[in-house]
Amino acid sequence: MTRRILGIDPGLTRCGAGVIDVQRARRVGLVHVEVIRTPSDAELQPRLGLIGTAVERLLDEYEPDAVSIERVFAEQRNLNTVMGVAQVTGIVIREAHRRGIDAELHTPSEVKAAVSGYGNADKGQVQRMVQRILRLDTPPKPADAADALALAICAAWQSPAAQVRPERRTHGSGLGQATPSRGATPAQEAWLAAERAANSGRRRLR
């Protein structure tokens, strides 16, 4: 059974969007990729309107089973950028919810580890790995496009990674703890480490 995922790299000036199909044995294929752009000198309302219209079009045209969005923490970028990303993220989540589509958030470290096995991979490494995974002739450009596809791949490979580490309860804490089992690949191990770090950061923010 084929599963379709839309990856969104949220941004107010450039918003990456990538659609992939996931088949058996985690084999993924490119369906569509684009970068939604808005003029930086325009007012906020029409810019968000342009992005919202584009997101609606993507959801209606490609009918994904899930949407994967980058989670950005305030300390990673300046306040204006964070606000723009948060506003775009809200639009995407709202439109997905209206259509009954699951939306999930992944940190940059989770995404990098998922596609490269290294949570601190640079933009070039992510682009090259996305090229290899999707069997493309050239790396997807610009970086926003590659990041959107990487987000979709991260979501596509989430379940297989979960299978190599059953969740167990830590006595007395009530929190699930990831435990890698034998056979996990280096990429999966790195991804799981990134997930654990991200979960720890989310708990601190509560």
Side-chain angles (χ1 to χ4, degrees):
M1 179 178 177
T2 300
R3 184 166 178 251
R4 178 162 290 181
I5 301 176
L6 168 63
I8 295 288
D9 180 35
L12 195 53
T13 302
R14 296 185 307 277
C15 179
V19 182
I20 64 169
D21 277 348
V22 190
Q23 300 172 346
R24 291 183 178 181
R26 301 198 307 164
R27 185 176 178 85
V28 294
L30 174 66
V31 176
H32 174 76
V33 65
E34 67 178 80
V35 176
I36 306 162
R37 302 175 186 270
T38 68
S40 59
D41 58 349
E43 295 295 325
L44 177 63
Q45 185 171 339
R47 296 179 74 184
L48 291 175
L50 286 172
I51 294 172
T53 299
V55 169
E56 288 184 292
R57 169 179 54 80
L58 289 165
L59 291 171
D60 291 341
E61 180 175 353
Y62 294 101
E63 300 182 332
D65 300 294
V67 179
S68 178
I69 313 165
E70 182 181 353
R71 178 192 295 273
V72 178
F73 296 112
E75 63 267 22
Q76 291 178 277
R77 302 181 182 181
N78 64 56
L79 183 58
N80 288 336
T81 301
V82 170
M83 289 297 294
V85 169
Q87 289 160 338
V88 173
T89 298
I91 288 173
V92 177
I93 292 175
R94 192 251 186 185
E95 293 303 328
H97 176 72
R98 285 184 60 207
R99 293 161 177 78
I101 300 171
D102 289 335
E104 55 192 61
L105 301 173
H106 294 283
T107 68
S109 293
E110 287 178 284
V111 175
K112 292 174 183 178
V115 300
S116 72
Y118 180 52
N120 290 320
D122 61 30
K123 293 286 188 182
Q125 289 172 313
V126 171
Q127 286 177 305
R128 290 190 293 273
M129 287 306 299
V130 169
Q131 177 190 3
R132 289 179 58 185
I133 292 167
L134 295 177
R135 303 172 300 283
L136 306 177
D137 294 333
T138 59
K141 294 180 180 179
D144 311 271
D147 289 345
L149 292 171
L151 279 154
I153 293 168
C154 179
W157 288 358
Q158 183 176 23
S159 294
Q163 291 171 5
V164 304
R165 54 103 172 92
E167 294 292 327
R168 61 179 173 85
R169 292 284 179 182
T170 302
H171 180 68
S173 70
L175 297 173
Q177 180 175 340
T179 306
S181 66
R182 291 183 180 180
T185 66
Q188 289 170 333
E189 293 285 7
W191 187 19
L192 296 174
E195 282 185 316
R196 287 193 291 269
N199 289 334
S200 176
R202 289 173 195 141
R203 288 196 291 272
R204 287 196 298 270
L205 289 173
R206 288 176 183 171

